[in-house]
Structure formats: structure tokens, C-alpha cells
Amino acid sequence: MKLSRSLIGSLLALSALVASPLPAQQQSPADLYGPLFSAVQTGRIFPDGKTFVDAVPKRAPDAILAEYRRTAPTTREALRAFVLQNFVVPGVNDREAADLRRHIRTLWPTLVRQPEPVPAGSSALPMQAPYVVPGGRFREIYYWDSYFTMLGLTVDGQQPLVESMLADFTDTIERYGHIPNGMRTYYLGRSQPPFFALMLDLSKDADPALAARRLAALKREHGYWMQGAACLDASGACARVVRMPDGTLLNRYWDDRPLPRDESYAEDVATAKEDPSRPAETLYRHLRAGAESGWDYSSRWLADPRRLASIRTTDIVPVDLNSLMLILEQSIARRCTAGGDQGCATQFTGFANKRRAALDRYFWVAKEGRYADWDRVARAATPRLSAAMLYPLFAGAASPRQAAAVAATVRRTLLATGGLRTTPLRTGQQWDSPNGWAPLQWIAIAGLERSGQPDLAREIARRWIDTVATAYAETGKMLEKYDVEERKPGGGGEYPTQDGFGWTNGVASAILERYPDIGAPVRTR
């Protein structure tokens, strides 16, 4: 809405004619701010007229008024931005960054769910102990989300919930052979990035019997990802297993059901119709595999980054998945050693050594200073640059030279004003630019710290916390994803941005615990 020049001129003239005789401490906002006050109130910059008159100036009123006269914002949007830059406005930008950790701690109880009997016909899967959901439309526990949620629970004094969720996941592996994408029947055909081994490292329970049970669950999860090895044929791939050119067995994302996703049925059917030349079942498998990756969806999986119908997830051997599988194999070997099973330790150390070598041979692109996914059809690294390149650093698989090269690439291509971009491409998919996601910030921060790049780790942490704190100050919410270029709620994808939000809460708490001095002042737009 335009504010007419004549109206602005009249307001300024009126302010010059009317001088308040009251002492400064008794002057009302109308007295203090004259034309600014009138413009804000008559322009209904805030729905409630009491909002602005209760605002607290960030500097001397006469300095604010002088700047207003000098800049004379002429649109409603510009006037609102001016007010937010110069005032702390109740209910709008009055939440400080320092409040963020306290707010997260108050959120945890609202995201806790108790195990309940599952009614006949419900899609819910039974749980045995209390657990934390992400929030919003996500009413059940999710697999990879939970690791990042647990990071925050651990540092926020919620260790019993961490142990409770580990009990749920251990029971789930024993019951189904894997941890599904989420605890719904329609998610049973797929898992998500395997973070269970890392979750177990957050446990404080040293009971030997429980340790043996958890080790058995880890082995069973490894078996789930590797069961395709028994059906490999000339194609070189079966289920989640891919035979590489040198014979090494690595992993890909997959789903056991070549059908539209129950939870996105209409969307998947519509996507299949966009390319009638492809068998629908093939496209559904790629879509479901993309959902197993957690990156649903991203240009990582698309032949044409502008067309979801070009998705080809199962043709790609992902660097993030194989880095996590390395961590899983190393964890099993370490736990077997602790339990006195040297045969098991030797076997899984061998698996881990082969996988580590494969990360160097197939995923490292030295001339570009990055790790890449590997295209099993083209038999080459993919051209898609993404934040997944930081997973080998997170897994401890990068040399100092490789870590330094990755850090330089990240600074050049992915580091934005408000944190780490997911990819440099703007495609409309939610796992592409300009969005940033809490789990990828943590993978980057922890990986860079581990690999001798602490300055960049800290810089990503500072920028991300600034983004989260700014959005919290303006909305009072913790969100699923953020636009890290403009430091605002993220967009794209198949559903609206969700509030809650488990992994954002967890990563924010974990970062503030690691870097307690980076709670920078919020800069409002």
C-alpha cells in the first residue's frame, strides 16, 4: 500500500506546529513520534492499535524520528521494516536470542507422546515407551529425525527420554528387522538414513544384557541394508545393495513396494503421468527411494533438476548413506570387541575398511574438492554438488587434505548468510537452495570440527543459530526448515513448512551447548 506524499507532508507539517509542553517522561507515543506515530496507526501496520504504543525504542526517540523524516518510507512494508528496526514490538520481535534455549526446553514436553494401544484399522505401529515426535503433521516418531532430536534431549536434561526412544527403536528392529521411515504401516517398505548406531552412543545405560541386545539389533539392521547381496545378478544391483566395478558391495536407497506412497498417493500418480514413457512402477520406486533418503526431494536424485518426473534415486549410490554404513560397521566392530567376540570384530572391521577405501575410490572428486554421489549407470561421480559431501568428514573418513578442500568448496558454494545451503540449485524442491535443514548443519559442524576445520564449523553454527533465533523472534516458532539466504521460513516441497520442530530444537540446543557464546543478538528484517 502506497502512503501518499501529500499525507506524509501534512503529518510532518503538523508535527512541526504541535509541540508538547509535557516533560519527556510524560510524553505519549503520539507526542514523541508525531508523524511516525500517525503513519503507523492510520496505516494499521499492526492489527491491534495497542501494539505500537507499547513498543520499546531501541535508541533515542528523537534519533528515530530524525531518521524517519530523512528516509520517509512510502510503502506499508517499508514502514513496518523501519518500525521493527527501531523498536522492540510486543508479540512481533520481542523474543531475544537468549530466550531460544529456554523456549526449546519448554517445547520438549509438548512433543512427547505416550505409548497407547493401536485401534484396529489404524495405520499407527505400536510403541512400548514414551517418545518424541517432530511436530506439526508428523504425529509419529521418525527414524533419522530422532537422532538430531536426541542430541538436544541429551544436553537439555532429558536423558530418560533418550533411553526410552532407544528402547522403542531396539524393539522395532526386533519386530520388523529394521527401523521404518516412521512408525506407520505405510512406511514399512523403507527405512531412513541409518543413525541407530550414533543414537546408541548417546546412551548412559551400561547394562551388559542391554548392550548385547543392542548389538544384536545393530547387526540385524546391517543385515537389512545388505540383504540384497544374496540376489545380485548381472545388473549389479538388488534391493539396497550395489556391486561396484571392483566388486565392493555398497548401498543405495530403495523401497520394497513399487507403488504410489500412501501418504502422497495423488501426488505420485500425477508425477507418473508427467512422463508416460516411463513405467509407473519404476517411477514409484524412485520416489519411494527418495523418501527413504530423507531428501524428498532434491536435485540430487533428478536427471533434470527442474522435473520431479525425471527422478532416478535407485540409480545413484549415495555418499551420505555409505558414510553412515561405515559408521554402523565400525560401531558393530567396536561393540564386538568390547563383548569379547573377536571373530565378529574382525569381520566388521574388514567390511568397514573396504567401505572406507570405496569412499576414496568412487566418491572423492579431487579436481573439484568435493565428495559426490556415484552414478551406477554412467559409472561416474554425479555432477550434483550438495551438503552430502560433508558426510565422509562426519564419519572420520576424510584426510586433512580432503577436509580442507571440502571446506573451501563449502565456503565457495554452500555457505549462505544464514547457514548451509542444501544444494546451490534453485529448483522448487525443498532439499535444494535456498533451504537449509538442521540435520545437515549438524553433520557439517561436527564433521568439520572432527576433520580439523573448526573455524568454518563455528561460522556455520553462528549463522544457523542467527537464522533460527531471528525466525523465533519474529514468529515465536521453531520450524522444520529455513531459507538461509533471507533468514526466514523455508518453502517448497509437498506440504507447508511445519512448526515444532524436533530436529531443529535438538540441533539448536546441541549447537548452543557446544558454542555457548554464539547466541548473537537477533537482527530483524
Side-chain angles (χ1 to χ4, degrees), residues 426-490:
R426 282 182 175 262
T427 65
Q429 298 300 331
Q430 64 176 349
W431 287 84
D432 282 317
S433 185
N435 285 346
W437 296 75
L440 299 183
Q441 312 300 314
W442 183 259
I443 294 297
I445 292 163
L448 289 163
E449 281 274 10
R450 180 175 187 175
S451 304
Q453 299 294 320
D455 292 345
L456 180 55
R458 183 184 178 83
E459 184 62 20
I460 292 170
R462 185 191 65 76
R463 296 187 188 201
W464 177 253
I465 289 296
D466 191 40
T467 295
V468 174
T470 297
Y472 167 65
E474 296 184 0
T475 69
K477 296 179 179 180
M478 300 292 287
L479 303 173
E480 179 192 19
K481 58 182 179 282
Y482 297 83
D483 179 329
V484 294
E485 294 184 1
E486 297 189 24
R487 295 189 303 115
K488 66 180 184 179

Side-chain angles (χ1 to χ4, degrees), residues 101 104 107-108 111 132 145-156 438-439 442 464-465 478 500-513:
R101 189 82 183 271
I104 292 169
L107 280 178
W108 290 129
L111 297 175
V132 176
D145 295 59
S146 295
Y147 171 66
F148 302 97
T149 298
M150 288 178 184
L151 291 173
L153 293 173
T154 300
V155 299
D156 283 344
W442 183 259
W464 177 253
I465 289 296
M478 300 292 287
F501 196 85
W503 64 18
T504 303
N505 303 343
V507 168
S509 279
I511 289 174
L512 291 171
E513 184 76 11

Side-chain angles (χ1 to χ4, degrees), residues 333 336-349:
C336 286
T337 297
D341 187 343
Q342 194 53 50
C344 164
T346 300
Q347 179 186 32
F348 279 90
T349 297

Side-chain angles (χ1 to χ4, degrees), residues 1 72 108-109 194 254 264 285 296 344 346 354 468 486:
M1 181 184 82
W108 290 129
W254 183 255
S264 299
R285 184 90 73 182
D296 43 342
C344 164
T346 300
K354 287 182 180 178
V468 174
E486 297 189 24

Side-chain angles (χ1 to χ4, degrees), residues 226-245:
M226 298 304 300
Q227 62 190 2
C231 54
L232 285 170
D233 55 21
S235 72
C238 182
R240 292 169 178 81
V241 175
V242 174
R243 183 191 295 115
M244 303 300 281

